[in-house]
Amino acid sequence: MEELRPSGGPAPQPFPALFPPGLHAIYGECRRLYPEQPNPLQVTAIVKYWLGGPDPLDYVSMYRNLGSPARGVPEHWHYVSFGLSDLYGDNRVHEYTGTDGSSGFGFELTFRLKREAEESAPPTWPAELMQGLARYVFQSENTFCSGDHVSWHSPLDNSESRIQHMLLTEDPQMQPVQTPFGMVSFLQIVGICTEELHAAQQWNGQGILELLRTVPVAGGPWLITDMRRGETIFEIDPHLQERVDKGIETEGSNLSGVSAKCAWDDLSRPPEDEDDSRSICIGTQQRRLSGKDTEQIREALRRGLEINSKSVLPPISSQRHNGMNHDRAPSRKDSLESESSAALIPHELIRTRQLESVHLKFNQESGTLIPLCLRGRLLHGRHFTYKSITGDTAITFVSTGVEGAFATEEHPYAAHGPWLQILLTEELVEKMLEDLEDLSSPEELKLPKEYSWPANKLKISILPDTVFDNPLH
């Protein structure tokens, strides 16, 4: 439950001594931008998160921004969250780690919504949207970075709008702040259409953000979301699709993996062989990834974001890797790590197995990303990983240019416990792209759908979601 009230926080300085220091620092940045709005409306959680409430954000402040007519920036509502960073420094929500690193998760969310002429007060639905994203961060401990995309699959305001997904970028006005509990940056949510999401997946989020900045009605320089926008940037300016196509062709995609509904069968041996820890069989209890396997997949995804470097799968190691790469800051937990990933069997007892024939299974949403995996990743010498959200299965496609993979040209299908690697030659990738062409029109796809390459002993099935929702699939 939430309530709407005027902010009682940013009273004229000096702030009261008991005012939470982290909150004080963020309010200071808001006051710099909005000195004439010392008490903005706020949406606040009635029951705070540390008292058992469901909403991680203590507050969402809502400001009226007059924009910049000279630069083509319209008047809009500016929303700022409080709670993803450490506001209190007393371990009630975030572990206090000192002043040198990040405060809490290291960022707060912002959102800019075009103000409609008839509006005298800001709509409150963006606050619930921000709470939803915050719940994901707290539950998964995955942090967001500029250029990330969020597949929402629903109008952000629960209307009939085409704006149904999000990109994230640095807020154009708010500067990172140093708090007594570490640094806090501000990541702005940008509403986008489904076609723009697909372009970001096939190319990269930063590229699409730059295109949005060039189209005033689609965001403009400050990337303001207009929920009444009825056209994609490609409909507004068809030449932008050419820029995306060229980017995909020359740069490929920087999306190196996704959480998905997927599974795989080892067709090299009977499915009743439950004692073989090296195979996964649909209909039997899935084994969990060992911590070391999870770490390697996690590192693979991180390295996969280094667009201009040679794609490398690091060796399985017992050491933890917490370093940075060129595109992402380190997070508490990367996208493939979960509490359920503890090994059920000793890692040393699992040996890598070469398979003769495999059957891959995906739901429709995951299946439509296969052409992206092949065209945007493997043809550029990279890798792409599907990590199951219904089990600990993982499927990594690798090209011949990826170093450190346990799948080889001689043995292109290899499994390490429930982690399957598939090495595809450029010739096979081109053949698969031809055969999978109908995946580009998922609305016309009738499920189940099966694709097969008998000469390569490879089969892919696209199945209904219900198959994966049932634990006995």
Side-chain angles (χ1 to χ4, degrees):
M1 296 289 292
E2 298 173 336
E3 64 178 355
L4 181 67
R5 63 173 178 80
S7 167
Q13 292 196 22
F15 285 85
L18 295 179
F19 198 80
L23 199 63
H24 181 157
I26 299 173
Y27 271 140
E29 177 61 13
C30 293
R31 285 173 61 86
R32 180 184 69 81
L33 288 181
Y34 303 105
E36 77 290 352
Q37 300 179 58
N39 294 289
L41 285 175
Q42 283 187 329
V43 173
T44 179
I46 295 178
V47 180
K48 294 295 186 281
Y49 192 69
W50 68 86
L51 296 176
D55 300 319
L57 301 177
D58 281 14
Y59 314 100
V60 175
S61 288
M62 302 177 287
Y63 297 91
R64 184 169 178 171
N65 191 304
L66 298 180
S68 176
R71 299 176 58 187
V73 178
E75 187 173 348
H76 58 278
W77 305 110
H78 191 192
Y79 301 76
V80 181
S81 77
F82 297 81
L84 284 161
S85 62
D86 190 353
L87 304 179
Y88 305 97
D90 57 6
N91 296 313
R92 73 177 72 177
V93 178
H94 299 281
E95 180 183 357
Y96 174 68
T97 56
T99 61
D100 295 336
S102 297
S103 170
F105 287 104
F107 68 96
E108 293 289 354
L109 294 170
T110 72
F111 183 62
R112 295 175 185 268
L113 177 67
K114 183 182 178 183
R115 177 181 173 268
E116 301 300 334
E118 68 276 9
E119 290 178 340
S120 59
T124 58
W125 63 261
E128 179 53 38
L129 181 75
M130 297 167 90
Q131 289 283 15
L133 293 178
R135 282 190 286 270
Y136 164 78
V137 172
F138 272 82
Q139 292 166 9
S140 68
E141 295 191 341
N142 297 329
T143 59
F144 291 126
C145 297
S146 179
D148 281 354
H149 68 266
V150 178
S151 305
W152 199 251
H153 300 290
S154 178
L156 304 188
D157 60 352
N158 295 316
S159 68
E160 299 299 319
S161 175
R162 293 185 70 178
I163 308 301
Q164 302 188 8
H165 308 280
M166 293 166 270
L167 288 172
L168 291 150
T169 188
E170 297 91 352
D171 188 287
Q173 287 187 299
M174 301 193 73
Q175 301 298 316
V177 295
Q178 177 69 54
T179 80
F181 316 129
M183 287 293 297
V184 180
S185 61
F186 297 92
L187 282 179
Q188 180 175 315
I189 300 164
V190 182
I192 58 173
C193 303
T194 299
E195 295 83 352
E196 294 154 0
L197 170 73
H198 291 164
Q201 292 174 327
Q202 293 164 13
W203 184 22
N204 62 74
Q206 294 290 4
I208 299 305
L209 287 165
E210 289 305 313
L211 297 186
L212 289 167
R213 288 187 177 97
T214 68
V215 182
V217 298
W222 290 6
L223 293 169
I224 297 166
T225 298
D226 180 0
M227 293 303 297
R228 297 186 180 182
R229 173 161 68 97
E231 295 180 303
T232 71
I233 57 173
F234 309 114
E235 292 168 332
I236 296 169
D237 184 354
H239 293 97
L240 296 182
Q241 184 62 56
E242 298 175 7
R243 293 177 60 180
V244 173
D245 293 340
K246 183 177 181 181
I248 296 171
E249 180 182 354
T250 58
E251 302 170 13
S253 171
N254 72 343
L255 181 66
S256 60
V258 293
S259 296
K261 291 185 177 180
C262 63
W264 61 272
D265 277 337
D266 173 13
L267 301 183
S268 307
R269 59 177 52 222
E272 63 270 10
D273 186 1
E274 297 182 6
D275 294 330
D276 191 341
S277 66
R278 301 162 299 178
S279 65
I280 292 294
C281 302
I282 303 302
T284 64
Q285 183 177 6
Q286 294 187 349
R287 300 181 185 273
R288 294 180 179 177
L289 289 170
S290 75
K292 294 180 181 180
D293 288 340
T294 298
E295 175 59 31
Q296 182 178 356
I297 300 173
R298 185 166 73 100
E299 191 70 5
L301 286 195
R302 181 185 296 127
R303 292 183 181 229
L305 291 170
E306 299 177 8
I307 301 174
N308 297 318
S309 64
K310 192 167 186 178
S311 194
V312 176
L313 280 166
I316 295 175
S317 168
S318 61
Q319 297 180 350
R320 304 292 294 175
H321 300 275
N322 295 314
M324 296 178 64
N325 72 9
H326 298 160
D327 296 271
R328 300 180 70 97
S331 63
R332 298 184 181 187
K333 186 184 293 182
D334 209 356
S335 57
L336 285 183
E337 189 175 359
S338 68
E339 295 300 328
S340 64
S341 294
L344 294 183
I345 48 181
H347 177 274
E348 292 76 11
L349 297 182
I350 305 177
R351 53 195 177 93
T352 300
R353 178 186 177 205
Q354 283 75 45
L355 313 180
E356 294 180 5
S357 180
V358 294
H359 182 190
L360 311 182
K361 302 182 180 184
F362 301 94
N363 73 334
Q364 183 169 331
E365 183 177 1
S366 303
T368 57
L369 290 176
I370 298 175
L372 158 66
C373 159
L374 301 178
R375 181 179 293 108
R377 298 293 298 178
L378 269 65
L379 287 182
H380 291 265
R382 302 175 192 149
H383 52 81
F384 190 91
T385 294
Y386 286 94
K387 169 66 174 66
S388 173
I389 60 175
T390 58
D392 273 338
T393 302
I395 302 170
T396 297
F397 292 91
V398 299
S399 67
T400 53
V402 175
E403 297 179 353
F406 47 77
T408 65
E409 290 191 58
E410 184 179 1
H411 300 288
Y413 312 133
H416 195 87
W419 181 14
L420 174 69
Q421 286 188 10
I422 298 178
L423 188 146
L424 302 177
T425 63
E426 184 173 341
E427 180 182 5
L428 179 54
V429 168
E430 295 286 4
K431 172 61 175 170
M432 291 175 68
L433 282 171
E434 292 180 11
D435 297 340
L436 296 170
E437 187 174 358
D438 58 349
L439 288 179
S440 60
S441 302
E443 64 280 355
E444 300 175 5
L445 203 63
K446 294 184 178 180
L447 303 183
K449 177 73 173 182
E450 184 173 293
Y451 305 89
S452 182
W453 297 270
N456 302 95
K457 299 182 179 180
L458 173 64
K459 184 165 62 173
I460 295 178
S461 292
I462 311 299
L463 304 170
D465 278 9
T466 52
V467 174
F468 298 90
D469 295 336
N470 183 348
L472 295 179
H473 61 272

